Amino acid sequence: MASALLVTLFTLVIKGLQYLYSHNVAHYINSEFLSRLLIPIIGVLVILLLAKVTGYKYLRTGIPFVLHRLKVAYGVIPFRNTFNQFWGSSIAIASGFSVGREGPAVHLGAACSSYIGNKLNLPFNTVRTLCACGIAAGISASFNTPIAAVIFVMEVILREYKVHIFIPIMIAAIVGSTITETIYGPAHQFEFFDKIQLDLLHYPVLILFGVILGVLSFTFNKNLTALIQFSSKFSLSKRLLLAAAVTGLIGAYLPPAIDTDLHISILTDSSFDSAYFLVALLLAKILMTIIALGLGIPGGVVGPILVIGAISGVAAAGVISGSYASPDLAVDMALMGMAGFMAATLNAPLAALLAVVELSNQIEVIAPAMVVISTACVFSGQFFRNRSVFVMQLEVQKLLYRQPPIEKSLQRIGVLGIMQSNCSVMENSDEQHLISEYNASDGQQVIITKTADAKPKFIWHQARVSEDNVVSSFDQHVLIPISSRATLSEAYSALKDIRKGGVYVYHDSPDKFIGIVSFAQIRKYLLEGTTSL
């Protein structure tokens, strides 16, 4: 709920900023030439001022940064970074840059959830799940697409399907959608579409269109990541000002390209009956998106991707018709373009399919969209080795996003879930006393002694049992302290060199002993998938 409300506030701030210079929110076609030229430049100056105040040099935000933080910090995101994401992205979108809301929605949802998890001192593996829930709530609140939000989180963010995290993510998406419907009503962005008219006779054309989208997605991803890598040698101010200049010039001469929320109904308007116009608009939108995101303008990529796909579809409809396409065919092909281009660019076919279904509120879109999505993904992946644009961004920015299989597996289980709490902590280390204490508990107690040092240590006395089941002596292991929020990954890292003994779990302070996790437990989990001894 907190994540959804924060994302809703973000949307309201964007509209409020747009009202400062235009009463026709998110529609620049009727704006004056000079306004379209200067608004992006003014927006960048404000973003740079905020970056200077917060001390952030690189403005790393959005989905790639969240993917990185999920791997290295269980989704915990710095506050200053979140502050820059909220205000930087709202100003960028309000200024007409070709960036979307979903990147900030993911970032803000993750940041809000991780903040709550930290305040509640939840285990880190739980914070990661909570972070995924916040992302789902944020996307659902931003677009009112709960099913697509769930699949997007599983397919793009977590990149895995696990039942134990599927349910909380679904609940979070429902909450986000409910909040959006309460504030804005139940309408979807593109539900004005009529029933899809495409049939089996159009499928050969859809396959060819999917091939074109596959090539276009590879070209888009390759140029975007190349620009990110090339521009990293320049200062932030130079990069953002160049992006503002390009956006302002294109917007001044081609106003529909700078619209922050380009409706497909605009594309199918009879006044845009020129194929040259649609091609020019497509190229302008691709260029503006690559320039904005490649040079560091804060914002998301999914929104522009959907617009680029829609323009491609309308242009393809014109080619099919041999002239200006009928509105019905143009709308149908626009939906196909949105689905295919999003799927191939993000390498997320299921998320793209469900996003288009929910945005259009048309179940009939599924079959033809699957044809386009399958063709686009297979062609771009097999012939061009195209991958998710987020993964490619992480690689050129040298941000960690992969983990060794052992670490990835161990991070799923918190130490609280498997620790042995049946411990007897004593200050008397006399061996005979320890043996009697062990025998009195029928071997059920874990014997721990605490030293009387200024910084006390906890020592695990592991019983040596003879063949006739008699305790003769103890092996002593100095336990390594580890927070109750840690996972088995941190415990394994502490023990992997000595490969014996264990760690003791504490709460708040290393003096507050609450249980132990042995290396034998971790080893048993890695070999057999169980932590019970």
Side-chain angles (χ1 to χ4, degrees), residues 438-439 464-473:
Y438 183 84
N439 290 330
R464 289 181 181 175
V465 183
S466 62
E467 293 181 358
D468 52 358
N469 204 30
V470 176
V471 178
S472 57
S473 61

Coordinates of all heavy atoms in Angstrom, one line a residue, residues 438-439 464-473:
Y438 N 25.2 -31.9 29.5 CA 24.8 -32.6 28.2 C 24.0 -33.8 28.4 O 23.0 -34.1 27.7 CB 26.1 -32.8 27.4 CG 25.8 -33.4 26.0 CD1 25.6 -32.5 24.9 CD2 25.9 -34.8 25.8 CE1 25.3 -33.1 23.6 CE2 25.7 -35.3 24.5 CZ 25.4 -34.4 23.4 OH 25.2 -34.9 22.2
N439 N 24.5 -34.7 29.3 CA 23.8 -35.9 29.6 C 22.4 -35.7 30.2 O 21.5 -36.5 29.9 CB 24.7 -36.8 30.5 CG 25.9 -37.3 29.8 OD1 25.9 -37.5 28.6 ND2 27.0 -37.6 30.6
R464 N 31.9 -35.3 21.7 CA 32.5 -36.5 21.0 C 31.9 -37.7 21.7 O 32.0 -37.9 22.9 CB 34.0 -36.6 21.3 CG 34.8 -35.5 20.5 CD 36.3 -35.7 20.7 NE 37.1 -34.8 20.0 CZ 38.4 -34.6 20.2 NH1 39.0 -35.4 21.0 NH2 39.1 -33.7 19.5
V465 N 31.1 -38.5 20.9 CA 30.4 -39.6 21.5 C 31.1 -40.9 21.1 O 31.4 -41.1 19.9 CB 28.9 -39.6 21.0 CG1 28.2 -40.8 21.6 CG2 28.3 -38.3 21.3
S466 N 31.4 -41.8 22.1 CA 32.1 -43.0 21.8 C 31.1 -44.1 21.2 O 29.9 -43.8 21.1 CB 32.7 -43.6 23.1 OG 31.7 -43.8 24.0
E467 N 31.7 -45.2 20.9 CA 30.8 -46.3 20.3 C 29.7 -46.8 21.2 O 28.7 -47.2 20.8 CB 31.7 -47.5 19.9 CG 32.7 -47.1 18.8 CD 33.5 -48.3 18.4 OE1 33.4 -49.4 19.0 OE2 34.4 -48.2 17.5
D468 N 30.0 -46.7 22.5 CA 28.9 -47.1 23.5 C 28.0 -46.0 23.9 O 27.4 -46.0 25.0 CB 29.5 -47.8 24.7 CG 30.6 -47.0 25.3 OD1 30.9 -45.9 24.8 OD2 31.2 -47.4 26.4
N469 N 28.0 -44.9 23.1 CA 27.2 -43.7 23.3 C 27.4 -43.0 24.6 O 26.5 -42.5 25.2 CB 25.7 -44.2 23.2 CG 24.8 -43.0 22.8 OD1 25.2 -42.1 22.1 ND2 23.5 -43.0 23.3
V470 N 28.7 -42.9 24.9 CA 29.1 -42.1 26.1 C 30.0 -40.9 25.6 O 30.8 -41.0 24.8 CB 30.0 -43.0 27.0 CG1 30.5 -42.2 28.2 CG2 29.2 -44.2 27.5
V471 N 29.7 -39.8 26.2 CA 30.4 -38.5 25.9 C 31.7 -38.6 26.6 O 31.8 -38.6 27.9 CB 29.6 -37.3 26.3 CG1 30.4 -36.0 26.0 CG2 28.2 -37.3 25.6
S472 N 32.8 -38.5 25.9 CA 34.1 -38.5 26.5 C 34.7 -37.1 26.6 O 35.4 -36.8 27.6 CB 35.0 -39.4 25.7 OG 35.1 -39.0 24.3
S473 N 34.5 -36.3 25.6 CA 35.1 -34.9 25.6 C 34.3 -34.1 24.6 O 33.3 -34.5 24.0 CB 36.6 -35.0 25.3 OG 36.8 -35.5 24.0

